[in-house]
Amino acid sequence: MTKMTKDGETEVHHRPKRGWIWNQFFVLEEHIGPDAQYVGKLHSNSDKGDGSVRYILSGEGAGSIFIINEVTGDIHATKSLDREKKSHYVLHAQAINLNTNKPLEPESEFIIKVQDINDNAPKFPDGPFVTSVPEMSEVGTSVFQVTATDADDPTYGNSARVVYSILHGQPYFSVDPKSGIIRTALADMDREAREHYSVVIQAKDMAGQVGGLSGSTTVNITLTDVNDNPPKFPQKNYQVFVPESAQVGKPVGKMKASDEDIGINAEIKYSILNPEGAGMFSISTDKDTREGVITLRKPLNYEKKKHYSLHIAAENTHLDPHFTYLGSFKDDATLKITVGDVDEPPVFSMDYYIMEVYENTRVGTEVGAVTARDPDSKNSPVRYFIEQREDKAVYFDIESISGVIRTTQLLDREDTPWHNITVMATEEDNPSLQSHVPVTVQVLDVNDNPPMINTEDEIIICESTRAGQVIQTITAVDKDDFANGKGFSFSFPGGIPANPNFTIKDNEDSTASIIARRRRFHRLTQELYELPVVVWDDGEPVLSSTSTLMLRVCSCQRGTRLKICQGEAFLSSAGLSTGALIAILLCVLILLAIVILFITLRRSKKEPLIISEEDIRENVVTYDDEGGGEEDTEAFDIIALRNPAAAEELKFRRDVRPECIRPWSSRRPARGRHSPSSLDIDEEMDIGEFIKQRVAEADQDTSVPPYDSLQTYAYEGQGSPAGSISSLGSAGAHSEVDYNSLDDWDPKFEKIAELYGEEVETASESTEKAESEKQT
């Protein structure tokens, strides 16, 4: 490296050459000698051998495991090392000048490797092992693979090179020396002969050479089952005794076929091969015991058949196609069943009986008969009884010898249309043997109940009902069967005068319509009407009844089907809904609040601070009332503003008639007629003259309002060609207009329709009365 000085001379610096000298450092593990193991030597080319150089060692194990001679640079290991714990050490070396105490060279790093020796045997960390292989497997079938581990260095020598061998388990199994895979070595190993095997595997390092270390493990191998054995019956013939009284559906015997296999490979299905046996018996498999359970399908009869022979087969349900070459996985045997004779209860001729009898028949009427016999060969006599129940009445009795059933009470179909009884039959020689049969008795109907009309609900009549209008459609009910009076007829009772208000129309479909005969009904005049109606059926014999219907007059809302009778609310009659009622109440509350607020403001109005009795402004007239606006001409006399002195002389009260005005009649106007003025007009005076007089008074009166005010009198005059449109003068005239159409108008015309309807009705009645008097 060169460097230029200030004088222009060149200064050359020579970097010293690195002079570390040492060999490759290795140290054997597991050294057990008495002296420290020599590792190597550190040397620098700067060292002249005069003892001026000092060597320093630092890093892993320096001073504890590794020591150095500071003068010569020799390194020794003072302890036995284990490569499996630590395979190498990283250290740092430095050479220092003792005179200057400065390093001769930068610090350098080097590694001491621990050299491996074969001091670890192979191991199986997960052993022992458990595995399985199917029985009857082929030779060479892979069973399991074992793997051994060696802690020695696999990159140095053969210390970690492992080979496998089998110590125990031949000739059934073998192991691959390199991979450790265990395979079957013997064909057709049978689980039923031997199920469990214990195989010992050895792993040896140094490639199996002499002096190598070894380890072993155990592999427990189990042969799993396959279906290689068919079911077999221990014997070919079986016998069983079954009494004829055995119940249907109950087991009568058991059979079992053995199978050396286990699990699903040993599941067996039993079947009956011959049709005769399959018709009387069935067989099923008990899943727990794998037995064939024989069950009775039909009742046995010793007198008809005493022996049965069943051909029963047993076969596996899960077959393995790999073993079909072994033959059929099925076996059969014969079961002989002997039927035993027992004393049986009587047997009825039918499983159940259905009988019929008419209601209201006399006590002792025959309903029907049941028959039973003794099925045994001795044919014992049979006796009959009816099973009695404490909670039910007794309506029937049975003759113990003949089995004839008779009535003991009168029967009513409308009360109980069906009766269910149980008849028992016993043998006379052995009463403990009983049999039962259900008997159903149907009670037939006769026409013994008249039809009835429902009178619980009132019939509503609207006040606006018209003549000929259908008020209600009625029907009747009959407790009898429809065959005895399925049709009904209706009419009024005979021997009474014709009803002037209502008539009844038979619709000929078992209903009738009640029709109004007159136009209107008034609730205030008569609210309730009683209407007797006769209804009869068409049964045999014909029965009838009379019912009284209650008809109530109600006011009904037009355009709706709502009918409101007595007890209705005022708001409902007015047609106000809930929403309208709430709106009215809100308006009332708002007005009330406004009035209260106005009164409060008037009371809180402040008075002036100083009220002078003698106001210096004497020409100012003070009024303490509030004016009514431009249209108010009655609040004060305007003359006082023009000339106060003249006002004192000409004070006229507006509420007193002037003397120049002619006094009018003080009679009140006729009811319903309103006068056009606050004063009544004389009947003889013409309205035109009255208006002229009022105009003259206004022109001459000095106390009238200012001249710019306007008074308007509306007068039509006389002799109008259009004539009068008022109906006040036509009350007595007969009108030919049909006011019935007003009933179909909106509810707001309801009052008009009622007024004109009453007038027309009154006029019609008056006309009819006059004609009747004229004829008389």
Side-chain angles (χ1 to χ4, degrees):
M1 179 177 181
T2 61
K3 181 179 180 183
M4 295 297 294
T5 63
K6 295 181 180 180
D7 298 334
E9 297 179 355
T10 302
E11 182 179 359
V12 180
H13 293 272
H14 297 279
R15 180 176 181 180
K17 184 178 180 181
R18 191 177 194 129
W20 284 108
I21 300 173
W22 61 74
N23 296 325
Q24 183 85 24
F25 291 159
F26 292 95
V27 61
L28 289 176
E29 67 171 337
E30 306 293 344
H31 177 71
I32 58 176
D35 299 328
Q37 185 180 2
Y38 179 76
V39 178
K41 183 181 181 66
L42 296 179
H43 182 74
S44 174
N45 56 1
S46 299
D47 187 0
K48 304 301 182 178
D50 55 359
S52 63
V53 178
R54 178 189 176 190
Y55 294 97
I56 298 175
L57 186 66
S58 62
E60 296 178 338
S64 59
I65 299 175
F66 303 100
I67 60 175
I68 187 170
N69 189 322
E70 296 182 352
V71 177
T72 62
D74 293 330
I75 302 173
H76 291 80
T78 62
K79 295 182 179 180
S80 177
L81 303 179
D82 189 357
R83 190 202 66 84
E84 286 71 37
K85 293 183 179 179
K86 191 171 181 61
S87 61
H88 65 278
Y89 295 85
V90 180
L91 294 97
H92 299 85
Q94 193 172 26
I96 300 176
N97 191 334
L98 291 176
N99 297 326
T100 62
N101 201 24
K102 293 183 179 180
L104 297 175
E105 290 289 340
E107 186 181 71
S108 297
E109 181 182 276
F110 67 97
I111 297 174
I112 299 177
K113 292 186 177 180
V114 182
Q115 190 172 357
D116 182 49
I117 63 173
N118 189 18
D119 60 341
N120 290 280
K123 295 181 180 179
F124 296 93
D126 298 329
F129 303 95
V130 177
T131 185
S132 62
V133 64
E135 64 173 332
M136 307 298 289
S137 297
E138 298 179 354
V139 176
T141 301
S142 177
V143 179
F144 192 72
Q145 183 178 14
V146 294
T147 301
T149 60
D150 196 320
D152 293 327
D153 189 359
T155 63
Y156 180 76
N158 294 325
S159 299
R161 185 179 177 185
V162 179
V163 294
Y164 302 93
S165 62
I166 185 167
L167 299 180
H168 181 72
Q170 293 176 336
Y172 306 105
F173 301 94
S174 63
V175 64
D176 187 276
K178 295 182 179 181
S179 64
I181 296 177
I182 303 173
R183 301 179 186 276
T184 57
L186 187 65
D188 299 334
M189 287 189 292
D190 192 1
R191 185 200 64 84
E192 289 73 32
R194 182 178 176 181
E195 185 176 1
H196 301 287
Y197 295 85
S198 181
V199 179
V200 179
I201 303 297
Q202 182 189 64
K204 189 176 183 179
D205 58 11
M206 298 299 292
Q209 297 177 5
V210 178
L213 303 178
S214 64
S216 63
T217 187
T218 301
V219 181
N220 296 314
I221 302 175
T222 301
L223 297 182
T224 57
D225 184 59
V226 297
N227 191 9
D228 58 341
N229 295 283
K232 291 184 178 295
F233 284 106
Q235 59 192 58
K236 289 296 182 182
N237 295 293
Y238 296 85
Q239 291 184 356
V240 66
F241 175 83
V242 180
E244 64 173 338
S245 60
Q247 297 182 10
V248 175
K250 298 295 183 179
V252 296
K254 295 181 179 180
M255 294 180 64
K256 184 177 183 180
S258 60
D259 193 328
E260 296 180 354
D261 296 323
I262 59 175
I264 62 173
N265 297 318
E267 292 183 359
I268 301 174
K269 177 184 178 182
Y270 298 91
S271 59
I272 301 175
L273 301 179
N274 58 322
E276 180 187 11
M280 289 295 297
F281 302 90
S282 62
I283 188 169
S284 60
T285 304
D286 189 328
K287 294 182 179 180
D288 297 330
T289 62
R290 292 192 175 93
E291 294 178 324
V293 180
I294 296 97
T295 305
L296 185 62
R297 298 184 63 180
K298 295 180 180 180
L300 297 174
N301 193 331
Y302 174 82
E303 287 74 24
K304 292 185 178 180
K305 192 172 181 62
K306 299 179 178 60
H307 300 281
Y308 291 91
S309 180
L310 279 65
H311 300 289
I312 299 176
E315 59 180 335
N316 288 134
T317 57
H318 297 83
L319 300 179
D320 193 336
H322 296 90
F323 304 102
T324 55
Y325 67 91
L326 297 176
S328 175
F329 286 76
K330 186 177 182 180
D331 196 17
D332 58 72
T334 301
L335 174 64
K336 293 184 178 180
I337 297 177
T338 301
V339 181
D341 186 21
V342 294
D343 192 5
E344 300 176 88
V347 177
F348 284 96
S349 60
M350 300 176 63
D351 295 334
Y352 60 91
Y353 293 86
I354 299 179
M355 303 176 183
E356 296 178 347
V357 62
Y358 281 98
E359 63 176 332
N360 300 331
T361 55
R362 59 182 178 84
V363 176
T365 300
E366 179 179 346
V367 179
V370 297
T371 56
R373 63 176 183 83
D374 182 9
D376 300 323
S377 56
K378 59 182 179 180
N379 196 13
S380 176
V382 177
R383 296 294 179 262
Y384 303 96
F385 306 92
I386 291 181
E387 185 179 23
Q388 305 295 339
R389 296 183 181 179
E390 296 180 358
D391 57 339
K392 291 188 176 182
V394 179
Y395 291 94
F396 305 95
D397 193 9
I398 189 171
E399 296 180 0
S400 61
I401 298 177
S402 63
V404 176
I405 300 175
R406 300 181 183 276
T407 60
T408 59
Q409 297 185 32
L410 291 178
L411 303 179
D412 187 0
R413 187 200 68 86
E414 289 72 34
D415 183 21
T416 307
W418 295 86
H419 293 269
N420 296 315
I421 60 177
T422 301
V423 176
M424 299 182 298
T426 62
E427 293 183 7
E428 187 177 29
D429 299 337
N430 188 3
S432 61
L433 296 176
Q434 298 179 353
S435 58
H436 303 75
V437 67
V439 178
T440 301
V441 179
Q442 181 183 8
V443 181
L444 302 179
D445 184 51
V446 297
N447 195 23
D448 58 344
N449 291 280
M452 303 293 293
I453 300 176
N454 184 15
T455 59
E456 295 181 0
D457 298 332
E458 293 181 343
I459 299 175
I460 304 302
I461 310 172
C462 293
E463 291 183 333
S464 60
T465 301
R466 297 188 294 269
Q469 181 177 343
V470 176
I471 299 174
Q472 183 78 20
T473 300
I474 60 174
T475 185
V477 293
D478 196 333
K479 294 181 179 180
D480 292 323
D481 190 29
F482 68 92
N484 289 314
K486 59 183 178 180
F488 304 112
S489 301
F490 301 86
S491 68
F492 286 137
I496 61 175
N499 194 311
N501 301 314
F502 310 99
T503 184
I504 188 167
K505 177 186 177 182
D506 193 338
N507 298 326
E508 299 182 357
D509 58 354
S510 298
T511 64
S513 300
I514 299 176
I515 302 174
R517 296 190 66 179
R518 64 189 184 88
R519 186 177 182 277
R520 282 189 173 275
F521 296 87
H522 297 281
R523 183 176 55 175
L524 299 179
T525 303
Q526 183 174 352
E527 183 178 5
L528 292 177
Y529 292 88
E530 294 183 356
L531 185 65
V533 178
V534 179
V535 56
W536 64 87
D537 57 23
D538 56 357
E540 183 64 35
V542 176
L543 299 179
S544 63
S545 66
T546 301
S547 302
T548 301
L549 305 179
M550 300 300 296
L551 288 79
R552 181 180 296 275
V553 179
C554 296
S555 59
C556 306
Q557 291 186 354
R558 297 179 181 271
T560 64
R561 297 183 178 180
L562 180 63
K563 300 179 179 181
I564 305 175
C565 294
Q566 61 179 359
E568 71 271 18
F570 170 76
L571 295 177
S572 298
S573 62
L576 293 179
S577 62
T578 305
L581 177 61
I582 294 174
I584 292 174
L585 293 177
L586 288 176
C587 292
V588 172
L589 291 176
I590 292 172
L591 292 176
L592 183 61
I594 292 173
V595 172
I596 294 173
L597 180 61
F598 179 76
I599 295 174
T600 304
L601 292 176
R602 288 294 302 270
R603 289 182 178 180
S604 62
K605 184 178 179 181
K606 296 182 179 180
E607 298 293 338
L609 297 177
I610 300 176
I611 301 177
S612 178
E613 297 180 357
E614 297 181 0
D615 195 346
I616 58 175
R617 294 171 297 175
E618 297 180 355
N619 59 338
V620 177
V621 180
T622 302
Y623 295 88
D624 293 331
D625 58 343
E626 184 177 354
E630 295 178 356
E631 296 179 2
D632 186 4
T633 60
E634 303 288 340
F636 61 90
D637 194 354
I638 198 171
I639 298 178
L641 295 179
R642 298 172 183 169
N643 189 357
E648 293 293 333
E649 298 177 0
L650 299 175
K651 282 188 177 179
F652 294 96
R653 294 182 58 185
R654 299 296 296 166
D655 55 345
V656 179
R657 292 175 299 181
E659 295 180 357
C660 59
I661 300 176
R662 179 181 175 179
W664 305 97
S665 175
S666 61
R667 291 183 308 176
R668 297 188 60 181
R671 182 181 179 182
R673 309 296 191 268
H674 297 285
S675 174
S677 174
S678 60
L679 299 176
D680 295 334
I681 306 173
D682 228 309
E683 293 179 357
E684 292 135 0
M685 175 177 285
D686 184 79
I687 189 65
E689 295 295 331
F690 169 74
I691 291 176
K692 290 179 181 180
Q693 187 172 356
R694 294 293 291 172
V695 171
E697 292 175 359
D699 292 339
Q700 298 174 3
D701 192 357
T702 59
S703 63
V704 296
Y707 298 105
D708 57 353
S709 63
L710 178 64
Q711 294 185 359
T712 304
Y713 297 90
Y715 176 61
E716 181 180 353
Q718 296 180 351
S720 174
S724 175
I725 61 173
S726 174
S727 60
L728 299 178
S730 58
H734 179 68
S735 175
E736 312 223 349
V737 180
D738 185 9
Y739 295 104
N740 290 334
S741 59
L742 294 176
D743 293 336
D744 300 328
W745 289 13
D746 292 339
K748 57 187 176 181
F749 296 101
E750 178 180 1
K751 197 63 180 179
I752 298 177
E754 292 179 0
L755 290 173
Y756 280 93
E758 293 176 358
E759 293 176 359
V760 172
E761 184 177 355
T762 304
S764 301
E765 292 177 357
S766 301
T767 305
E768 293 177 359
K769 183 177 180 180
E771 292 179 356
S772 177
E773 292 177 355
K774 183 178 181 180
Q775 293 176 1
T776 303

